[in-house]
Amino acid sequence: MRSLKKSAFLAPLALVGSVVVVGLFVFGPTSAQAASNTSVTASTRPAPTTTSPNLFTSGSTSTTRPSGYTVPTPRSTTSTTIPGVTTLGGSQPYVAPTGTPGLAYLNLPAAFLKPGQALFAANCATCHGNQAEGSSRAPNLQGLGSGTVDFWVSTGRMPLENDAVQATRKPPKFNQLQTLQMAAWVQSLTPGVGTQIPVVNTSKANLSNGQQYFTLNCAACHTITGAGDALANGAYAPTLHLAKPYQVVEAIRSGPGNMPRFGSGNITNAQARDIAAYVVGVLQHPANPGGYALGGVGPVGEGFVGLLIGVGTLMLICFWIGDRT
Amino acid sequence: MIDETIDKSLNWVDDRLGTAKSGKTFLDKIFPDHWSFMLGEIALYSFVVLLATGVFLTLYYVPSSHDVIYNGSYIPLRGQHVSEAYSSSVALSFDVKSGLLMRQAHHWAADIFLGAMAVHMGRIVLTGAFRKPRELNFLIGVTMLMLGIVNGFLGYSLPDDLVSGTGIRIAYSIIESVPLVGSYLAFWLFGGNFPGDGSIIPRFFIIHVLIVPLIILGLLGAHLGLLVKQKHTQFKGPHRTEKNVVGTPMFPTFMAKTTGFLFMSTAVTFLLAGFAQINPFWQFGPYHPYQISYAVQPDWYMGWLDGALRIMPSWEWVGYGHTWPLEVFLPAVLFPGIIFNIFYAWPFLEARITKNRDYHNLLDSPRDRPKHTGAVVAMMALMLMVFLASSTDVLANFFNVPLQDTLWFFRFAVPIVPVIAGWLAYKICEELRHEDGAGKRKRASVVLRTEAGEYESIPSEPRPGDDHHELEPIEIPAFIDLVGADLATGEGVRRVLR
Amino acid sequence: MSSSTSNGQKPVPVDLPQLRPLAKRPEHTQVLIIICMLLGIAGFIGFMVAYWVGNQSQWQAASLGGGMLFFGFGVTAWGKYLMPRGPFVEERHDFDSSTSARSEFNAVITQRGGLVAKRRGVLLGLLALGSGLVGLALAFPLLRSLGPNPSKDTSAGNTNDSLSNTNWVKGSTVVTVDNRRVKVDDLEVGGVLTVFPAGNAGSSPDQVILIRLDNAQAAQAAPGRADWGCQGIVAFSKLCTHLGCPVGLYQQQTQQLVCPCHQSIFNVNAGCVPEFGPAPRPLPQLPITATSDGYLVANGSFNQPVGPGFWERP
């Protein structure tokens, strides 16, 4: 009887509880954000490239998809602008796109040569020589092109900090303008030869193609999630999660370090653009609607979580339920 | 009133099935309360979750290798040629409501299922619960562990993504490595040279959802049936003998606890499923045999095989006009065969070595049998080391050392660490065993310095809890009348013994 | 109540401590349990709502999982704290039957069975033979119907019927996975490209990795096979000789191919001999040449089976 009496106020409590929960879900933060998705567009603010693109389409036959991943930024905003280039007075800094919408190569102005040479002489010539001809300590840079220089300097790998097996990515020492000036000077030593600096407009890219060509050409070293991993002899494939689109294309074309070189006969301009778009649009902002991504290292992390948190929590519960003597 | 209704319906059942006698025995079954006896329940309840979520997944998964164009809602895959299996896997994750939650719950439950079985088995082996008369149940348990590993691999393969497809490729090569019949087995199973004629996914599917679960279900019934028939083991303690079981009865106490635990196990699985992403195969893309990702590992329970494959030297042998791919056959076929045969033979080997063939219903503390514990720890260390060897590349990257160095480390560590670990465990147990009063509560002493400068130690007065007080176990009451009773004081409770 | 008296069982004393709950203050505990179970029920209702209003895994998991956690906690706590704490005891009975029962049972097998079997030993033998054979007979369709036998024919042809064959023959046009023909200059020095024989793009056993070395290295790349390459481009089977993973990881500076699966390292400069890891054999090399208009073609087929080892491999 006693328990029956208790249940008399059990029902209203349940009702109240459920109403609270219903309210939580109806007026909760997620649904509010979802509602505003349609009204707030990217036009109201300059969308930084760091915001996650929406990797899901609503154009399919399905009506439901994980809403946890919708973000208000359309993905057509990940194009790269290089400050300091477009603001240079005078001529248009880009060469005309060569048949590939979305990937063009930068035409560096002649005004860059002088400051570029000065910067090179002050910072690089000790190792690479006054005419970038190389020395016993450092390779010849002539003929490598402006894109190669831009890759090494803009990723902070040059100037080298120590004599590790492999140069590591770090905050760049030079700003974008200085980098381009040096690149322009090195390019001027061998006009028309080597890797040029690309300008990638990823809004024209096909992510699906990018996925396929990334998997075919890049995943074997950089892993399918772009996390990177150790290679033979102490080298490693670096993570791609920090790469800018133009750096991706520069790396593809110039083959820095142990990375193979892919010319335009191997990976076409369109494919390079798609790969760059996939790297920055998907790998750097992966769709993780299933929750925390556990570092993206696959079953190793999942196994640890499954065993330590899953089985571990349940063992703790056992420990509470059972006797401990 | 309500009692009479229940009475009537129970009688109705008993008239037809005669369940009352065995039912009473079942409800009176005593479960010892030690927490480590619940580890098997984690596995049991994960299996329940696996069945429930698995049924949900079969409603949407299409076991087919047919080439289709993915046209679902995940943009980076749209327009790609993928297998129908992959397409439907992505679709059930994104385009089926709650599909992602169910799929992740299924995968987490599998990880927990196998982990719980391993931990459960560790408890059984360490405490000696496998001894007579429970050898048969131990064999059943080992078989379920093996089937669980197999089924985990099959299920992991079904989405046909790049990572799991690589796993299938490796499985093909492992089958191929078996001397004499390997290439025939591989050709039959896959329907030709890899990747075969597209029959492997449907075959894996039917084995994964029907054949293996059915066998596990049967073995599970036998496992629990034998548990009821042979009754639970228990740790040594006051009033506990080889001839009794002390604990709580099946009904209602244990039933309440374990029902709650079912809920909590499911809860942990679903919380992981919602907040920790597992196997995001939409990021991996479909499998093509010419594509590969670095840092691909199998799920954790296959890791020990992968590790064994990695550390094996390249000892292919060509002789008698044939190629003997020992670098694959030894670590991937013979090694697991030996390991599981050791598991199977363990109860009988131990009985033979210790010459102890008595009934054992009381468990040993691991420290009381140092040699046994040393052997078990060595075995565990071996499994752990080959398991860790499966992540040489991840470790090399993490610790920034060359790949070759981590591999060489494991080539030495795999044989050496188990020996050290086993020896250490043996010594620790020896020490603990000879420690006077080890494991008992300590009572404070007051140390006095006399005026002459001598020290004197006087045991303090016993405080509550210093001396563990154990109630004497009583017969299970057949009937506890709670009407109008006050449980706190025991007032108004009428109890009747059997 | 009526049943207890009719069974004639005697009442036990009410003050047995074993029958008291474990909780020191059961009423307080009960309130906590009620709260837990209510939270659980609220979670279940919340799941329905979460499902109804959207499809977010996190809300669904939080409501369902959280609900079950609270609910289960409540139910378990009910059993642990409010039900009679025990301990209770149950006697064990011997598993083995009595000696007489055993001998009777054994006698049925040995004597009754023996009576029948020994007199007609032939029949017993036939029974055993027939039972075994019926199992064997069933194994025929069960195993043999699954797939074809590997072909013994080692001439290049359909790769699906033999482990030894590929579709590469002398004159096979080299194409990419997109069926694009490959020119020598499509590869830069230090570049790699995955290719197939024309008509078999994407086929597993036919996959080949083209590597362009500078000419000095290419001469070293294949000792005794200097003319197997073409202007510094060498072609190797992309199937690892360990377990058949695609060896797609090329380190340009050190000229090493690394298998991403089990980290076998092949030295491209010495004809892709394995220098580390579990792979036992060099990657088979495919001789290639260029046509007059600059497109790459195979100049022969592989001189050995590609991929991992198997019994019939010569």
Side-chain angles (χ1 to χ4, degrees):
Chain A
M1 286 305 114
R2 196 178 194 87
S3 53
L4 277 179
K5 268 181 217 160
K6 283 269 154 52
S7 65
F9 65 84
L10 201 139
L13 260 179
L15 207 66
V16 170
S18 53
V19 166
V20 168
V21 174
V22 170
L24 194 71
F25 282 99
V26 171
F27 304 106
T30 326
S31 55
Q33 189 192 347
S36 67
N37 275 358
T38 46
S39 58
V40 181
T41 59
S43 60
T44 55
R45 59 192 157 98
T49 48
T50 48
T51 52
S52 324
N54 185 4
L55 297 181
F56 295 100
T57 171
S58 50
S60 72
T61 50
S62 67
T63 50
T64 59
R65 62 197 160 83
S67 58
Y69 199 68
T70 41
V71 276
T73 324
R75 57 156 293 92
S76 60
T77 53
T78 46
S79 68
T80 309
T81 54
I82 299 182
V85 174
T86 46
T87 52
L88 293 167
S91 65
Q92 163 66 259
Y94 303 103
V95 295
T98 52
T100 307
L103 182 66
Y105 288 100
L106 212 53
N107 191 10
L108 297 165
F112 279 9
L113 300 185
K114 211 162 178 181
Q117 184 173 18
L119 280 165
F120 191 91
N123 296 290
C124 320
T126 327
C127 301
H128 288 287
N130 282 328
Q131 288 301 308
E133 74 278 7
S135 71
S136 57
R137 281 189 289 169
N140 180 3
L141 301 182
Q142 289 182 8
L144 295 184
S146 55
T148 312
V149 176
D150 184 55
F151 175 84
W152 285 91
V153 178
S154 70
T155 59
R157 290 188 167 86
M158 284 293 147
L160 208 56
E161 213 158 50
N162 51 38
D163 53 353
V165 174
Q166 189 171 332
T168 48
R169 189 182 183 112
K170 52 185 183 289
K173 188 180 169 191
F174 303 101
N175 65 30
Q176 202 133 28
L177 184 60
Q178 291 167 323
T179 309
L180 290 175
Q181 285 167 344
M182 283 188 283
W185 180 73
V186 173
Q187 180 69 71
S188 73
L189 299 173
T190 53
V193 181
T195 306
Q196 313 290 305
I197 297 178
V199 178
V200 188
N201 183 357
T202 53
S203 64
K204 297 234 170 57
N206 180 332
L207 284 183
S208 189
N209 279 345
Q211 200 276 343
Q212 293 178 60
Y213 290 105
F214 179 85
T215 311
L216 180 62
N217 294 297
C218 320
C221 306
H222 291 286
T223 79
I224 194 74
T225 57
D229 203 353
L231 304 179
N233 304 94
Y236 62 92
T239 171
L240 301 179
H241 293 160
L242 303 168
K244 304 267 194 305
Y246 66 93
Q247 291 168 341
V248 173
V249 177
E250 282 165 356
I252 289 172
R253 290 282 181 254
S254 69
N258 262 316
M259 181 169 160
R261 296 176 67 196
F262 300 90
S264 56
N266 191 339
I267 293 179
T268 65
N269 279 343
Q271 290 166 358
R273 173 205 62 197
D274 293 346
I275 290 174
Y278 185 73
V279 168
V280 293
V282 181
L283 296 186
Q284 296 181 359
H285 309 286
N288 291 323
Y292 181 59
L294 309 179
V297 290
V300 175
E302 291 161 9
F304 273 106
V305 170
L307 293 180
L308 292 180
I309 298 183
V311 181
T313 310
L314 290 170
M315 282 172 75
L316 284 177
I317 294 175
C318 287
F319 200 65
W320 165 63
I321 298 175
D323 233 8
R324 294 176 284 276
T325 48
Chain B
M1 178 58 186
I2 205 151
D3 282 349
E4 278 162 28
T5 320
I6 293 173
D7 248 7
K8 263 187 193 163
S9 34
L10 288 179
N11 289 343
W12 190 91
V13 173
D14 189 63
D15 284 344
R16 281 145 189 88
L17 299 174
T19 45
K21 191 159 178 280
S22 51
K24 166 90 167 69
T25 318
F26 180 67
L27 294 183
D28 277 353
K29 180 181 159 48
I30 287 286
F31 286 85
D33 288 325
H34 196 265
W35 69 273
S36 69
F37 294 168
M38 303 190 73
L39 299 177
E41 281 170 52
I42 305 178
L44 176 65
Y45 296 145
S46 316
F47 188 67
V48 172
V49 178
L50 279 173
L51 287 184
T53 52
V55 168
F56 181 90
L57 296 182
T58 56
L59 301 178
Y60 305 99
Y61 175 76
V62 184
S64 155
S65 301
H66 286 151
D67 186 51
V68 295
I69 307 272
Y70 176 77
N71 222 0
S73 57
Y74 184 64
I75 291 170
L77 291 175
R78 279 173 77 93
Q80 288 197 32
H81 283 266
V82 302
S83 70
E84 213 170 350
Y86 183 73
S87 173
S88 61
S89 300
V90 178
L92 77 84
S93 300
F94 291 146
D95 301 333
V96 173
K97 237 179 172 183
S98 287
L100 185 64
L101 183 71
M102 292 296 171
R103 186 186 68 71
Q104 297 209 127
H106 192 72
H107 204 138
W108 280 120
D111 273 14
I112 293 174
F113 177 56
L114 284 147
M117 282 206 282
V119 175
H120 175 56
M121 184 176 160
R123 201 279 295 172
I124 297 291
V125 175
L126 273 177
T127 57
F130 55 82
R131 291 174 295 185
K132 189 179 173 186
R134 294 181 182 80
E135 302 100 323
L136 291 176
N137 227 8
F138 183 74
L139 300 189
I140 292 175
V142 171
T143 311
M144 282 198 285
L145 177 64
M146 194 167 62
L147 288 172
I149 292 175
V150 169
N151 222 29
F153 173 75
L154 295 177
Y156 170 82
S157 302
L158 287 183
D160 203 21
D161 59 282
L162 182 69
V163 176
S164 71
T166 307
I168 299 182
R169 163 77 244 198
I170 291 172
Y172 186 95
S173 305
I174 289 172
I175 299 171
E176 202 182 316
S177 79
V178 177
L180 203 64
V181 293
S183 40
Y184 285 84
L185 287 180
F187 260 66
W188 293 348
L189 186 59
F190 283 71
N193 197 358
F194 187 82
D197 59 3
S199 50
I200 196 62
I201 290 286
R203 284 176 186 173
F204 274 15
F205 178 72
I206 202 66
I207 301 172
H208 176 77
V209 303
L210 181 72
I211 297 173
V212 178
L214 212 58
I215 300 174
I216 292 184
L217 214 53
L219 291 176
L220 193 59
H223 203 62
L224 297 178
L226 277 177
L227 174 77
V228 172
K229 167 104 179 136
Q230 298 181 329
K231 297 197 169 71
H232 226 293
T233 53
Q234 59 186 347
F235 279 110
K236 288 167 186 159
H239 315 297
R240 294 174 192 186
T241 68
E242 288 280 2
K243 287 281 167 196
N244 69 6
V245 200
V246 176
T248 44
M250 177 73 169
F251 184 81
T253 318
F254 182 77
M255 215 172 250
K257 284 185 187 178
T258 199
T259 306
F261 192 51
L262 167 63
F263 275 103
M264 286 188 278
S265 306
T266 318
V268 169
T269 310
F270 271 91
L271 286 172
L272 276 175
F275 293 100
Q277 183 168 278
I278 189 162
N279 198 18
F281 46 61
W282 56 90
Q283 295 173 4
F284 305 155
Y287 177 66
H288 295 295
Y290 51 87
Q291 290 181 342
I292 184 79
S293 164
Y294 200 14
V296 286
Q297 270 95 9
D299 266 1
W300 76 267
Y301 43 83
M302 295 290 290
W304 57 293
L305 289 175
D306 196 53
L309 277 168
R310 283 185 190 208
I311 59 167
M312 186 71 192
S314 54
W315 289 344
E316 187 178 76
W317 185 61
V318 180
Y320 302 110
H322 292 288
T323 299
W324 305 65
L326 299 181
E327 83 285 357
V328 178
F329 181 72
L330 292 186
V333 183
L334 207 61
F335 173 66
I338 290 173
I339 291 289
F340 271 96
N341 273 305
I342 291 177
F343 288 165
Y344 278 125
W346 194 290
F348 309 103
L349 280 180
E350 190 166 308
R352 171 167 289 211
I353 292 169
T354 58
K355 296 190 177 59
N356 185 334
R357 295 194 166 81
D358 299 334
Y359 281 113
H360 288 281
N361 293 320
L362 283 178
L363 297 176
D364 286 322
S365 167
R367 73 155 170 264
D368 290 336
R369 298 169 66 218
K371 281 180 192 160
H372 167 86
T373 305
V376 175
V377 167
M379 191 77 186
M380 287 175 168
L382 175 69
M383 300 307 288
L384 182 70
M385 290 319 286
V386 281
F387 169 65
L388 290 178
S390 71
S391 49
T392 44
D393 55 326
V394 175
L395 292 173
N397 198 36
F398 188 78
F399 292 109
N400 207 7
V401 289
L403 201 56
Q404 288 98 322
D405 293 2
T406 50
L407 199 66
W408 272 113
F409 170 77
F410 279 107
R411 279 180 175 173
F412 284 105
V414 165
I416 292 173
V417 168
V419 177
I420 298 174
W423 181 79
L424 269 179
Y426 170 77
K427 291 309 265 184
I428 290 171
C429 291
E430 281 280 303
E431 289 296 317
L432 284 176
R433 196 157 65 132
H434 294 121
E435 178 93 1
D436 198 30
K440 297 208 177 90
R441 282 164 186 267
K442 294 194 172 52
R443 191 193 290 182
S445 291
V446 179
V447 180
L448 287 178
R449 186 171 180 272
T450 60
E451 281 187 15
E454 288 176 347
Y455 291 93
E456 197 179 354
S457 170
I458 305 161
S460 68
E461 287 295 309
R463 287 175 302 175
D466 276 357
D467 291 310
H468 188 60
H469 177 63
E470 189 90 17
L471 287 175
E472 188 172 346
I474 60 161
E475 288 286 307
I476 313 150
F479 178 62
I480 306 168
D481 182 10
L482 293 177
V483 178
D486 185 346
L487 278 174
T489 61
E491 220 170 272
V493 184
R494 286 191 291 138
R495 301 177 185 84
V496 183
L497 278 186
R498 284 186 294 178
Chain C
M1 283 157 278
S2 56
S3 60
S4 63
T5 47
S6 66
N7 284 351
Q9 286 171 320
K10 60 176 185 192
V12 285
V14 283
D15 56 346
L16 274 177
Q18 288 90 339
L19 294 180
R20 288 186 200 143
L22 193 63
K24 292 203 177 73
R25 289 184 296 181
E27 293 312 314
H28 288 72
T29 311
Q30 187 184 340
V31 170
L32 284 177
I33 291 173
I34 287 174
I35 292 172
C36 279
M37 292 176 76
L38 283 179
L39 281 173
I41 290 164
F44 301 150
I45 296 168
F47 176 76
M48 299 181 220
V49 178
Y51 182 90
W52 192 261
V53 301
N55 183 27
Q56 203 190 27
S57 268
Q58 282 70 41
W59 280 113
Q60 291 177 5
S63 52
L64 187 65
M68 285 199 279
L69 196 63
F70 278 114
F71 198 76
F73 186 82
V75 175
T76 303
W78 181 15
K80 182 174 166 71
Y81 295 118
L82 295 186
M83 290 184 184
R85 72 169 118 164
F88 302 100
V89 70
E90 182 188 15
E91 297 305 316
R92 276 181 207 279
H93 305 288
D94 293 336
F95 298 111
D96 46 353
S97 319
S98 66
T99 325
S100 60
R102 255 192 204 191
S103 53
E104 276 172 33
F105 177 72
N106 295 359
V108 170
I109 302 285
T110 54
Q111 290 173 16
R112 193 194 297 171
L115 189 74
V116 179
K118 276 173 196 157
R119 200 175 289 169
R120 303 268 182 263
V122 174
L123 296 183
L124 190 68
L126 283 178
L127 178 67
L129 182 69
S131 311
L133 273 180
V134 89
L136 194 66
L138 290 176
F140 270 72
L142 194 64
L143 283 175
R144 191 57 198 87
S145 293
L146 284 173
N149 279 339
S151 161
K152 298 271 194 299
D153 178 18
T154 50
S155 61
N158 183 6
T159 56
N160 202 38
D161 70 2
S162 166
L163 287 169
S164 303
N165 295 354
T166 68
N167 290 312
W168 287 103
V169 289
K170 189 175 168 71
S172 294
T173 307
V174 171
V175 296
T176 67
V177 70
D178 309 320
N179 275 311
R180 186 161 52 88
R181 287 195 293 168
V182 181
K183 272 186 160 164
V184 173
D185 288 334
D186 284 351
L187 275 116
E188 311 233 346
V189 172
V192 293
L193 181 59
T194 303
V195 292
F196 304 88
N200 287 289
S203 145
S204 174
D206 295 330
Q207 54 184 303
V208 155
I209 187 163
L210 296 180
I211 305 167
R212 185 158 194 185
L213 309 164
D214 65 44
N215 281 326
Q217 290 169 345
Q220 284 180 307
R225 289 180 271 175
D227 57 341
W228 285 27
C230 176
Q231 297 182 42
I233 298 180
V234 285
F236 291 96
S237 165
K238 205 186 173 187
L239 282 180
C240 184
T241 53
H242 180 221
L243 287 166
C245 289
V247 189
L249 198 166
Y250 178 59
Q251 290 186 227
Q252 191 229 131
Q253 281 177 328
T254 50
Q255 281 100 37
Q256 288 165 315
L257 274 172
V258 182
C259 179
C261 285
H262 301 96
Q263 286 91 39
S264 297
I265 300 173
F266 300 91
N267 184 351
V268 178
N269 263 337
C272 273
V273 291
E275 56 178 31
F276 188 77
R281 267 171 285 113
L283 299 175
Q285 187 174 2
L286 181 75
I288 51 164
T289 185
T291 58
S292 53
D293 49 354
Y295 289 106
L296 289 175
V297 292
N299 199 20
S301 78
F302 286 109
N303 62 358
Q304 54 176 311
V306 298
F310 54 97
W311 177 254
E312 292 86 359
R313 193 179 189 281

